[in-house]
Amino acid sequence: MEEVASRAGISRALLYRHFSSKRDLFAAVHQRATDQLLTEIGDLGDGTLAEQVAVALDTHFDYFQANRNLVLAANRVLATDPVVRAVITGGFAALQRRLLAAAGVDGPLAAAAVLAWLEFVRVMCVEWLAHQSFDRVQLRALCVRALLGALDLE
C-alpha cells in the first residue's frame, strides 16, 4: 500500500481512508477494469452471433493483453476472494444478459450454458496469458465454437 500511495503521489493515510485494505483496493481496481471492459464491448453490433461474439472477444483479449498482470492476479491469486469474486460474478451477469439477448435465446438451460461459457473463456484467457502456448486467433475460434455449441446454434 505504501508503494501504491507513493506512485499515486498521495499519503498512505489518504489511501487507507478510501480503501481499508490491499484487498479492497484491488477489488476497486478490478471493478473499474470490469466496468471499462463492459463499456468497451458495448453493444454487440450487427452481424451473426458468431461475428458479434468474435468482435467482443477481440476487445476482451486486447484488454487482457494490455492489463496482463492485473488479469493474472485477479484470476489466479484473488479469484476465490469473496470481494473479487463478486466483481467477476457481476461482470459475468452483465455479459450473460447481453449474450442471451444477442443469441435470441432464453430459459434456465441457456442462461447456465452462457454462464459456463463465460467461465470457460476466463480460464482459457488466463491459460493463454500465462503460458502463450496457443495464439489469440486459435483462442477466439475455440471460444466462438464453444458458445455456438453450448447454445446448439451451430
Coordinates of all heavy atoms in Angstrom, one line a residue, residues 5-78:
A5 N 0.6 4.3 -2.7 CA 0.4 5.7 -2.3 C 1.5 6.5 -2.9 O 1.3 7.6 -3.4 CB 0.4 5.8 -0.8
S6 N 2.7 6.0 -2.8 CA 3.9 6.8 -3.4 C 3.7 7.0 -4.9 O 3.9 8.1 -5.3 CB 5.2 6.0 -3.1 OG 6.3 6.7 -3.6
R7 N 3.4 6.0 -5.6 CA 3.2 6.1 -7.0 C 2.1 7.1 -7.4 O 2.1 7.7 -8.4 CB 3.0 4.8 -7.7 CG 4.3 4.0 -7.8 CD 4.0 2.7 -8.5 NE 5.3 1.9 -8.7 CZ 5.4 1.0 -9.6 NH1 4.5 0.7 -10.4 NH2 6.6 0.4 -9.7
A8 N 1.0 7.1 -6.6 CA -0.1 7.9 -6.8 C 0.1 9.4 -6.3 O -0.7 10.3 -6.6 CB -1.4 7.4 -6.1
G9 N 1.2 9.6 -5.6 CA 1.5 10.9 -5.1 C 0.6 11.3 -4.0 O 0.3 12.5 -3.8
I10 N 0.2 10.4 -3.2 CA -0.7 10.7 -2.1 C -0.1 10.0 -0.8 O 0.8 9.2 -0.9 CB -2.2 10.2 -2.3 CG1 -2.2 8.7 -2.5 CG2 -2.8 10.9 -3.5 CD1 -3.6 8.0 -2.6
S11 N -0.7 10.4 0.3 CA -0.2 9.8 1.6 C -0.9 8.4 1.8 O -2.0 8.2 1.2 CB -0.6 10.7 2.8 OG -2.0 10.7 3.0
R12 N -0.2 7.6 2.5 CA -0.8 6.3 2.8 C -2.1 6.4 3.6 O -3.0 5.7 3.4 CB 0.3 5.5 3.6 CG 0.1 4.0 3.4 CD 1.2 3.3 4.0 NE 1.0 3.3 5.4 CZ 1.9 2.9 6.3 NH1 3.1 2.5 5.9 NH2 1.6 2.9 7.6
A13 N -2.1 7.5 4.5 CA -3.3 7.7 5.3 C -4.5 8.0 4.3 O -5.6 7.5 4.6 CB -3.1 8.9 6.2
L14 N -4.3 8.8 3.3 CA -5.4 9.1 2.4 C -5.8 7.8 1.6 O -7.0 7.5 1.5 CB -5.0 10.1 1.3 CG -6.0 10.5 0.3 CD1 -7.3 11.1 0.9 CD2 -5.4 11.5 -0.7
L15 N -4.9 7.0 1.2 CA -5.2 5.7 0.6 C -6.1 4.8 1.5 O -7.1 4.3 1.1 CB -3.9 5.0 0.1 CG -4.1 3.7 -0.7 CD1 -4.8 4.0 -2.0 CD2 -2.7 3.1 -1.0
Y16 N -5.6 4.7 2.8 CA -6.4 3.9 3.7 C -7.7 4.5 4.1 O -8.6 3.8 4.5 CB -5.6 3.7 5.0 CG -4.6 2.5 4.9 CD1 -3.2 2.7 4.8 CD2 -5.1 1.2 4.8 CE1 -2.4 1.7 4.7 CE2 -4.2 0.1 4.6 CZ -2.9 0.4 4.6 OH -2.0 -0.7 4.5
R17 N -7.9 5.8 3.9 CA -9.2 6.4 4.1 C -10.2 5.9 3.1 O -11.4 5.7 3.4 CB -9.1 7.9 4.1 CG -10.4 8.6 4.5 CD -10.3 10.1 4.6 NE -9.1 10.6 5.2 CZ -8.5 11.7 4.9 NH1 -8.9 12.5 3.9 NH2 -7.4 12.1 5.5
H18 N -9.8 5.6 1.9 CA -10.7 5.2 0.8 C -10.7 3.6 0.7 O -11.7 3.1 0.3 CB -10.2 5.8 -0.5 CG -10.5 7.2 -0.6 ND1 -11.7 7.8 -0.8 CD2 -9.6 8.3 -0.4 CE1 -11.6 9.1 -0.8 NE2 -10.3 9.4 -0.6
F19 N -9.6 3.0 1.1 CA -9.5 1.5 1.0 C -8.9 1.0 2.3 O -7.7 1.3 2.6 CB -8.6 1.1 -0.2 CG -9.1 1.8 -1.5 CD1 -8.4 2.8 -2.0 CD2 -10.2 1.3 -2.2 CE1 -8.8 3.4 -3.2 CE2 -10.6 1.8 -3.4 CZ -9.9 2.9 -3.9
S20 N -9.7 0.2 3.0 CA -9.2 -0.2 4.3 C -8.2 -1.3 4.2 O -7.5 -1.6 5.2 CB -10.4 -0.7 5.1 OG -11.1 -1.8 4.5
S21 N -8.0 -1.9 3.1 CA -7.0 -3.0 2.9 C -6.6 -3.1 1.5 O -7.2 -2.5 0.6 CB -7.6 -4.3 3.3 OG -8.6 -4.8 2.4
K22 N -5.5 -3.8 1.3 CA -5.0 -4.0 -0.1 C -6.0 -4.8 -0.9 O -6.2 -4.5 -2.1 CB -3.7 -4.8 0.0 CG -3.0 -5.0 -1.3 CD -1.6 -5.7 -1.1 CE -0.9 -5.8 -2.4 NZ 0.4 -6.4 -2.2
R23 N -6.7 -5.7 -0.3 CA -7.8 -6.4 -1.0 C -8.9 -5.5 -1.5 O -9.4 -5.6 -2.6 CB -8.4 -7.5 0.0 CG -9.4 -8.3 -0.7 CD -10.1 -9.2 0.3 NE -11.1 -8.4 1.0 CZ -12.0 -8.8 1.8 NH1 -12.0 -10.1 2.1 NH2 -12.8 -8.0 2.4
D24 N -9.3 -4.6 -0.6 CA -10.3 -3.6 -1.0 C -9.9 -2.7 -2.2 O -10.6 -2.4 -3.1 CB -10.8 -2.7 0.2 CG -11.5 -3.5 1.2 OD1 -12.0 -4.6 0.9 OD2 -11.7 -3.0 2.3
L25 N -8.6 -2.3 -2.1 CA -8.1 -1.5 -3.2 C -8.1 -2.4 -4.5 O -8.5 -1.9 -5.6 CB -6.6 -1.1 -2.9 CG -5.8 -0.4 -4.0 CD1 -6.5 0.8 -4.5 CD2 -4.4 -0.2 -3.6
F26 N -7.6 -3.6 -4.4 CA -7.5 -4.4 -5.6 C -8.9 -4.7 -6.1 O -9.2 -4.6 -7.4 CB -6.9 -5.8 -5.3 CG -6.6 -6.6 -6.5 CD1 -5.5 -6.3 -7.3 CD2 -7.5 -7.5 -7.0 CE1 -5.2 -7.0 -8.5 CE2 -7.3 -8.2 -8.1 CZ -6.1 -8.0 -8.9
A27 N -9.9 -4.9 -5.3 CA -11.3 -5.1 -5.7 C -11.8 -3.9 -6.4 O -12.5 -4.0 -7.5 CB -12.2 -5.5 -4.5
A28 N -11.5 -2.7 -5.9 CA -11.9 -1.5 -6.6 C -11.3 -1.3 -8.0 O -11.9 -0.9 -8.9 CB -11.6 -0.3 -5.7
V29 N -10.0 -1.6 -8.0 CA -9.3 -1.6 -9.3 C -9.9 -2.6 -10.3 O -10.2 -2.2 -11.5 CB -7.8 -1.8 -9.1 CG1 -7.1 -2.1 -10.5 CG2 -7.1 -0.7 -8.4
H30 N -10.2 -3.8 -9.8 CA -10.8 -4.8 -10.7 C -12.2 -4.4 -11.1 O -12.6 -4.6 -12.3 CB -10.8 -6.1 -10.0 CG -11.1 -7.3 -10.9 ND1 -10.4 -7.5 -12.0 CD2 -12.1 -8.2 -10.8 CE1 -10.9 -8.6 -12.6 NE2 -11.9 -9.0 -11.9
Q31 N -13.0 -3.8 -10.2 CA -14.3 -3.3 -10.6 C -14.3 -2.3 -11.7 O -15.0 -2.3 -12.6 CB -15.1 -2.8 -9.3 CG -16.5 -2.3 -9.7 CD -17.4 -3.4 -10.1 OE1 -17.6 -4.4 -9.3 NE2 -17.9 -3.4 -11.3
R32 N -13.3 -1.3 -11.5 CA -13.2 -0.3 -12.5 C -12.8 -0.9 -13.9 O -13.3 -0.5 -14.9 CB -12.2 0.7 -12.1 CG -12.1 1.9 -13.1 CD -11.2 3.0 -12.5 NE -11.2 4.0 -13.6 CZ -10.7 5.2 -13.3 NH1 -10.3 5.6 -12.2 NH2 -10.7 6.1 -14.3
A33 N -11.9 -1.9 -13.8 CA -11.4 -2.5 -15.0 C -12.6 -3.3 -15.7 O -12.8 -3.2 -16.9 CB -10.3 -3.5 -14.7
T34 N -13.4 -3.9 -14.9 CA -14.6 -4.7 -15.4 C -15.6 -3.7 -16.0 O -16.1 -4.0 -17.1 CB -15.3 -5.5 -14.3 OG1 -14.3 -6.4 -13.8 CG2 -16.5 -6.2 -14.7
D35 N -15.8 -2.6 -15.4 CA -16.7 -1.6 -15.9 C -16.2 -1.0 -17.2 O -17.0 -0.9 -18.2 CB -16.9 -0.4 -14.9 CG -17.7 -0.8 -13.7 OD1 -18.3 -1.9 -13.7 OD2 -17.6 -0.1 -12.7
Q36 N -14.9 -0.8 -17.3 CA -14.3 -0.3 -18.5 C -14.4 -1.3 -19.7 O -14.8 -0.9 -20.8 CB -12.8 0.1 -18.3 CG -12.1 0.6 -19.5 CD -10.7 0.9 -19.2 OE1 -10.2 0.8 -18.1 NE2 -9.9 1.2 -20.3
L37 N -14.2 -2.5 -19.4 CA -14.3 -3.6 -20.4 C -15.7 -3.7 -20.9 O -16.0 -3.8 -22.1 CB -13.8 -4.9 -19.8 CG -13.8 -6.1 -20.8 CD1 -13.0 -5.8 -22.0 CD2 -13.3 -7.3 -20.1
L38 N -16.7 -3.7 -20.0 CA -18.1 -3.8 -20.4 C -18.5 -2.6 -21.3 O -19.2 -2.7 -22.2 CB -19.0 -3.8 -19.1 CG -18.9 -5.1 -18.4 CD1 -19.7 -5.0 -17.1 CD2 -19.5 -6.3 -19.2
T39 N -18.0 -1.4 -20.9 CA -18.2 -0.2 -21.8 C -17.6 -0.4 -23.1 O -18.2 -0.1 -24.2 CB -17.7 1.1 -21.1 OG1 -18.4 1.2 -19.8 CG2 -17.9 2.3 -21.9
E40 N -16.4 -0.9 -23.2 CA -15.7 -1.0 -24.5 C -16.4 -2.1 -25.3 O -16.4 -1.9 -26.6 CB -14.2 -1.4 -24.2 CG -13.4 -0.3 -23.7 CD -11.9 -0.7 -23.4 OE1 -11.5 -1.8 -23.9 OE2 -11.2 0.1 -22.8
I41 N -16.9 -3.1 -24.7 CA -17.6 -4.1 -25.5 C -18.9 -3.5 -26.0 O -19.3 -3.7 -27.2 CB -17.8 -5.4 -24.7 CG1 -16.5 -6.1 -24.5 CG2 -18.8 -6.3 -25.4 CD1 -16.6 -7.3 -23.5
G42 N -19.6 -2.7 -25.2 CA -20.8 -2.0 -25.6 C -21.8 -2.9 -26.2 O -21.9 -4.1 -25.9
D43 N -22.5 -2.4 -27.2 CA -23.4 -3.1 -28.0 C -22.7 -4.1 -28.8 O -21.7 -3.8 -29.4 CB -24.2 -2.2 -28.8 CG -25.3 -2.9 -29.6 OD1 -25.7 -4.0 -29.3 OD2 -25.8 -2.3 -30.6
L44 N -23.2 -5.3 -28.9 CA -22.5 -6.4 -29.7 C -22.6 -6.1 -31.2 O -22.0 -6.8 -32.0 CB -23.1 -7.7 -29.4 CG -22.7 -8.2 -28.0 CD1 -23.3 -9.6 -27.7 CD2 -21.2 -8.4 -27.8
G45 N -23.4 -5.1 -31.6 CA -23.5 -4.7 -33.0 C -24.3 -5.6 -33.9 O -25.1 -6.4 -33.4
D46 N -24.1 -5.5 -35.2 CA -24.8 -6.3 -36.2 C -24.0 -7.5 -36.6 O -22.9 -7.7 -36.1 CB -25.1 -5.4 -37.4 CG -26.0 -4.2 -37.1 OD1 -26.9 -4.3 -36.2 OD2 -25.8 -3.1 -37.7
G47 N -24.6 -8.3 -37.4 CA -23.9 -9.5 -37.9 C -24.4 -10.7 -37.2 O -25.3 -10.6 -36.4
T48 N -23.9 -11.8 -37.6 CA -24.3 -13.1 -37.0 C -23.8 -13.1 -35.6 O -22.9 -12.3 -35.2 CB -23.6 -14.3 -37.7 OG1 -22.2 -14.2 -37.5 CG2 -24.0 -14.3 -39.2
L49 N -24.3 -14.0 -34.8 CA -23.9 -14.1 -33.4 C -22.4 -14.4 -33.3 O -21.7 -13.8 -32.5 CB -24.7 -15.2 -32.7 CG -24.3 -15.4 -31.2 CD1 -24.6 -14.2 -30.4 CD2 -25.0 -16.7 -30.7
A50 N -21.9 -15.3 -34.2 CA -20.5 -15.6 -34.2 C -19.7 -14.4 -34.5 O -18.6 -14.2 -33.8 CB -20.2 -16.7 -35.3
E51 N -20.1 -13.5 -35.4 CA -19.3 -12.3 -35.7 C -19.4 -11.3 -34.5 O -18.4 -10.7 -34.2 CB -19.9 -11.6 -37.0 CG -19.7 -12.4 -38.2 CD -20.5 -11.9 -39.4 OE1 -21.5 -11.2 -39.2 OE2 -20.1 -12.2 -40.5
Q52 N -20.5 -11.2 -33.9 CA -20.7 -10.3 -32.8 C -19.8 -10.7 -31.6 O -19.1 -9.9 -31.0 CB -22.1 -10.2 -32.3 CG -23.0 -9.6 -33.3 CD -24.5 -9.6 -32.8 OE1 -24.8 -9.3 -31.6 NE2 -25.4 -10.1 -33.6
V53 N -19.8 -12.0 -31.4 CA -19.0 -12.6 -30.3 C -17.5 -12.5 -30.6 O -16.7 -12.1 -29.7 CB -19.4 -14.1 -30.0 CG1 -18.5 -14.7 -29.0 CG2 -20.8 -14.1 -29.4
A54 N -17.1 -12.7 -31.8 CA -15.7 -12.6 -32.2 C -15.2 -11.1 -31.9 O -14.1 -10.9 -31.4 CB -15.5 -13.0 -33.7
V55 N -16.0 -10.1 -32.3 CA -15.6 -8.7 -32.0 C -15.5 -8.5 -30.5 O -14.5 -7.9 -30.1 CB -16.7 -7.8 -32.7 CG1 -16.4 -6.3 -32.2 CG2 -16.6 -7.8 -34.2
A56 N -16.5 -9.0 -29.8 CA -16.4 -8.8 -28.3 C -15.2 -9.5 -27.7 O -14.5 -9.0 -26.8 CB -17.7 -9.3 -27.7
L57 N -14.9 -10.7 -28.2 CA -13.8 -11.4 -27.7 C -12.5 -10.7 -28.0 O -11.6 -10.6 -27.2 CB -13.7 -12.8 -28.3 CG -14.7 -13.8 -27.7 CD1 -14.8 -15.1 -28.5 CD2 -14.4 -14.1 -26.2
D58 N -12.4 -10.1 -29.2 CA -11.2 -9.4 -29.6 C -11.0 -8.2 -28.6 O -9.8 -7.9 -28.2 CB -11.2 -8.9 -31.0 CG -10.9 -9.9 -32.0 OD1 -10.2 -10.9 -31.6 OD2 -11.3 -9.8 -33.2
T59 N -12.0 -7.5 -28.3 CA -12.0 -6.4 -27.4 C -11.5 -6.9 -26.0 O -10.6 -6.3 -25.3 CB -13.3 -5.7 -27.2 OG1 -13.7 -5.2 -28.5 CG2 -13.3 -4.5 -26.2
H60 N -12.1 -8.0 -25.6 CA -11.7 -8.7 -24.3 C -10.3 -9.1 -24.3 O -9.6 -8.8 -23.4 CB -12.7 -9.9 -24.2 CG -12.6 -10.6 -22.9 ND1 -13.3 -10.1 -21.8 CD2 -12.0 -11.7 -22.5 CE1 -13.1 -10.9 -20.8 NE2 -12.3 -11.9 -21.2
F61 N -9.8 -9.7 -25.4 CA -8.4 -10.1 -25.4 C -7.5 -8.9 -25.5 O -6.4 -9.0 -24.8 CB -8.2 -11.0 -26.7 CG -9.0 -12.3 -26.7 CD1 -9.1 -12.9 -27.9 CD2 -9.6 -12.8 -25.6 CE1 -9.8 -14.1 -28.0 CE2 -10.3 -14.0 -25.7 CZ -10.4 -14.6 -26.9
D62 N -7.8 -7.9 -26.2 CA -7.0 -6.7 -26.2 C -6.8 -6.1 -24.8 O -5.7 -5.8 -24.4 CB -7.6 -5.6 -27.1 CG -7.5 -5.9 -28.6 OD1 -6.8 -6.7 -29.0 OD2 -8.3 -5.2 -29.3
Y63 N -7.9 -6.1 -24.1 CA -7.9 -5.6 -22.7 C -7.0 -6.5 -21.8 O -6.2 -6.0 -21.0 CB -9.3 -5.4 -22.1 CG -9.3 -4.8 -20.8 CD1 -9.3 -3.5 -20.6 CD2 -9.2 -5.7 -19.6 CE1 -9.2 -2.9 -19.3 CE2 -9.1 -5.1 -18.4 CZ -9.1 -3.7 -18.2 OH -9.0 -3.2 -17.0
F64 N -7.2 -7.8 -22.0 CA -6.5 -8.7 -21.1 C -5.0 -8.6 -21.4 O -4.2 -8.7 -20.5 CB -7.0 -10.1 -21.4 CG -8.1 -10.6 -20.5 CD1 -9.0 -9.7 -20.1 CD2 -8.1 -11.9 -20.0 CE1 -10.1 -10.1 -19.2 CE2 -9.2 -12.3 -19.2 CZ -10.1 -11.4 -18.8
Q65 N -4.6 -8.5 -22.7 CA -3.2 -8.3 -23.0 C -2.6 -7.0 -22.5 O -1.5 -7.0 -21.9 CB -3.0 -8.3 -24.6 CG -2.9 -9.7 -25.1 CD -2.6 -9.7 -26.6 OE1 -3.3 -9.0 -27.4 NE2 -1.6 -10.4 -27.0
A66 N -3.4 -5.9 -22.6 CA -2.9 -4.6 -22.1 C -2.8 -4.6 -20.5 O -2.0 -3.8 -20.0 CB -3.8 -3.5 -22.6
N67 N -3.6 -5.5 -19.9 CA -3.6 -5.5 -18.4 C -3.2 -6.9 -17.9 O -3.8 -7.3 -16.9 CB -5.0 -5.1 -17.9 CG -5.3 -3.7 -18.3 OD1 -4.9 -2.7 -17.8 ND2 -6.1 -3.5 -19.4
R68 N -2.3 -7.5 -18.5 CA -1.9 -8.9 -18.2 C -1.7 -9.1 -16.7 O -2.2 -10.1 -16.2 CB -0.6 -9.2 -19.0 CG -0.2 -10.6 -18.8 CD 1.1 -10.9 -19.6 NE 1.5 -12.3 -19.6 CZ 2.2 -12.8 -18.6 NH1 2.6 -12.0 -17.6 NH2 2.5 -14.1 -18.6
N69 N -0.9 -8.3 -16.0 CA -0.6 -8.6 -14.6 C -1.9 -8.5 -13.7 O -2.1 -9.3 -12.9 CB 0.5 -7.6 -14.1 CG 1.8 -7.9 -14.7 OD1 2.1 -9.0 -15.2 ND2 2.6 -6.9 -14.8
L70 N -2.7 -7.5 -14.0 CA -4.0 -7.4 -13.2 C -4.8 -8.6 -13.5 O -5.4 -9.1 -12.6 CB -4.7 -6.1 -13.6 CG -6.1 -5.9 -13.1 CD1 -6.1 -5.8 -11.6 CD2 -6.8 -4.7 -13.7
V71 N -5.0 -9.0 -14.7 CA -5.8 -10.1 -15.1 C -5.3 -11.4 -14.4 O -6.1 -12.2 -13.8 CB -5.9 -10.3 -16.6 CG1 -6.5 -11.6 -17.0 CG2 -6.6 -9.1 -17.2
L72 N -4.0 -11.6 -14.5 CA -3.5 -12.8 -13.9 C -3.6 -12.8 -12.4 O -4.0 -13.8 -11.8 CB -2.0 -13.0 -14.3 CG -1.8 -13.4 -15.7 CD1 -0.3 -13.5 -16.0 CD2 -2.4 -14.8 -16.1
A73 N -3.4 -11.7 -11.8 CA -3.6 -11.6 -10.3 C -5.0 -11.8 -9.9 O -5.3 -12.6 -9.0 CB -3.1 -10.3 -9.8
A74 N -5.9 -11.2 -10.6 CA -7.3 -11.3 -10.3 C -7.9 -12.7 -10.5 O -8.7 -13.1 -9.8 CB -8.1 -10.3 -11.1
N75 N -7.4 -13.3 -11.5 CA -8.0 -14.6 -11.9 C -7.2 -15.8 -11.3 O -7.8 -16.9 -11.4 CB -8.1 -14.7 -13.4 CG -9.2 -13.8 -13.9 OD1 -10.3 -14.2 -13.8 ND2 -8.8 -12.7 -14.5
R76 N -6.0 -15.6 -10.9 CA -5.3 -16.8 -10.3 C -5.1 -16.7 -8.8 O -5.4 -17.6 -8.1 CB -3.9 -16.8 -10.9 CG -3.9 -17.2 -12.4 CD -2.5 -17.2 -12.9 NE -2.2 -18.6 -13.4 CZ -1.0 -19.0 -13.8 NH1 0.0 -18.2 -13.7 NH2 -0.9 -20.2 -14.2
V77 N -4.8 -15.5 -8.3 CA -4.4 -15.4 -6.9 C -5.7 -15.0 -6.1 O -5.9 -15.6 -5.1 CB -3.3 -14.3 -6.7 CG1 -3.0 -14.2 -5.3 CG2 -2.1 -14.7 -7.5
L78 N -6.4 -14.1 -6.6 CA -7.5 -13.5 -5.8 C -8.9 -13.9 -6.3 O -9.9 -13.5 -5.7 CB -7.4 -12.0 -5.9 CG -6.2 -11.4 -5.3 CD1 -6.1 -9.9 -5.6 CD2 -6.1 -11.6 -3.8

